[in-house]
Amino acid sequence: MKHIPRKRFGQHFLSDGGIIEAIVGAIAPQPGQPMVEIGPGLAALTQPLVERLGRLTVIELDRDLALRLRLHGQLNVIESDVLKVDFTQLALTLQVPRIRVVGNLPYNISTPILFHLLEHVSVIEDQHFMLQKEVIDRMVASPATSDYGRLSVMLQWRYAMENVLFVPPESFDPPPRVDSAVVRMVPHDAPAAVRPALLSELVQVAFSQRRKLLRHTLGRWLEGRGFAGHFDTQRRAEEVPVHEYVALALTLDQKA
């Protein structure tokens, strides 16, 4: 029976053979590598991956699709909302120090998924995701650009990222109304040991009114915390590079 894509799950199934081959090439799966695919759908990417890996763990929320996937002898199927999956525990279950994560992420919840995985980055070797191109533009954005924001800072603190492939709407069934792309995310070996919650709050305050100078937002927030150090608040949030936000968070942590 043909599967009808479900809007509530944001389902757009990859159907372009050339694009699938290019994505698998970018991922470069090797036999025996522990890999987890989020949202395998109709297995367009799953099948070429598992042929190279030998075995693959997949996370699928749609029960009908999960049922189909269980018929595949080389798949370990986790029927769940990915936001409820403990990837640290999953690595322990697979008895490996780190896992590779791939997937065509549902565009309506892609950002929450990225932040959820950030909590488990210590057990992740790399990530390759199909996302809305606009989201990837924000992820890899440089300071002093309109795309640079909270997502840029939080992810660039923890990952080296690269936009590796453009994917047009006609590569999917049904076609989404947006352009897509594939991003490669490789965790930094020795990131600054800042508390994620503190950095997140700091950056959220900074970008809360991005057109105003930081003295109106972050400046007042720092005053409320009794910050006596130097941080130039005569700039807009988008003008501050990632390393300065991280350094400020580290200073605040030491003060606490």
Side-chain angles (χ1 to χ4, degrees), residues 52-68:
R52 290 160 176 79
L53 294 163
R55 188 146 195 91
L56 175 65
T57 297
V58 297
I59 301 169
E60 179 56 63
L61 176 59
D62 188 315
R63 66 182 178 210
D64 293 338
L65 293 175
L67 187 62
R68 289 187 184 199

Side-chain angles (χ1 to χ4, degrees), residues 87-135:
F87 283 84
T88 303
Q89 181 58 50
L90 181 54
L92 286 171
T93 301
L94 294 172
Q95 299 182 317
V96 294
R98 292 192 297 176
I99 54 179
R100 304 187 70 191
V101 186
V102 302
N104 175 13
L105 300 189
Y107 293 177
N108 53 345
I109 59 163
S110 59
T111 300
I113 292 173
L114 291 170
F115 279 111
H116 177 61
L117 285 163
L118 188 60
E119 298 172 14
H120 302 279
V121 68
S122 62
V123 298
I124 291 172
E125 183 175 336
D126 62 9
Q127 298 173 167
H128 289 81
F129 294 134
M130 174 104 67
L131 293 163
Q132 189 172 334
K133 181 181 177 295
E134 182 182 300
V135 174

Side-chain angles (χ1 to χ4, degrees), residues 148-169:
Y148 184 73
R150 175 172 173 257
L151 191 64
S152 321
V153 176
M154 292 303 297
L155 295 182
Q156 289 178 33
W157 155 59
R158 219 42 196 89
Y159 302 93
M161 294 183 292
E162 178 187 2
N163 183 342
V164 295
L165 183 68
F166 172 76
V167 185

Side-chain angles (χ1 to χ4, degrees), residues 241-253:
V242 174
H243 70 86
E244 284 195 41
Y245 281 121
V246 172
L248 179 58
L250 285 170
T251 301
L252 291 169
D253 238 359

